[in-house]
Amino acid sequence: MRNTIHSMQRQGGAVAIIVGLSIFVLVGFLGLVLDLGQLYITKTELQNAADAAALAGAKELVGTAAGIDRAETFARNTAAANSVRFGGAPLPRAVDIARANIKY
């Protein structure tokens, strides 16, 4: 019985070290979760902007050259109106689609 009590007292410091390392690892995982969450939300907002631009451009296509120019203008304006917000104020740069990236 005496050896058991003595053995338990010697291991008291090891528990503190394990808890300290565990907290360090858990804080690291928390940071990773927050970064991945922000990445997912930003990806979703950018996808929504691209979808809105495609729908706005497609709505203006009427089969003429003027319709194509109007569709490009509407698509770019709609994309510019959507910016990455991450649940708050818009970031300084809105979505900008170059004319070379518009495909038919």
Side-chain angles (χ1 to χ4, degrees), residues 36-62:
L36 291 176
Q38 182 179 5
L39 180 69
Y40 178 76
I41 289 172
T42 302
K43 176 195 162 291
T44 302
E45 288 179 344
L46 289 173
Q47 185 64 53
N48 288 341
D51 291 344
L55 290 173
K59 181 180 172 186
E60 299 301 320
L61 288 174
V62 292

Side-chain angles (χ1 to χ4, degrees), residues 25-98:
V25 170
L26 289 175
V27 169
F29 278 125
L30 177 65
L32 182 64
V33 165
L34 290 175
D35 284 345
L36 291 176
Q38 182 179 5
L39 180 69
Y40 178 76
I41 289 172
T42 302
K43 176 195 162 291
T44 302
E45 288 179 344
L46 289 173
Q47 185 64 53
N48 288 341
D51 291 344
L55 290 173
K59 181 180 172 186
E60 299 301 320
L61 288 174
V62 292
T64 64
I68 290 174
D69 290 337
R70 187 175 165 108
E72 285 182 7
T73 302
F74 268 73
R76 294 183 78 208
N77 290 342
T78 302
N82 290 284
S83 61
V84 180
R85 292 179 178 82
F86 189 55
L91 294 177
R93 294 191 65 183
V95 176
D96 186 23
I97 299 175

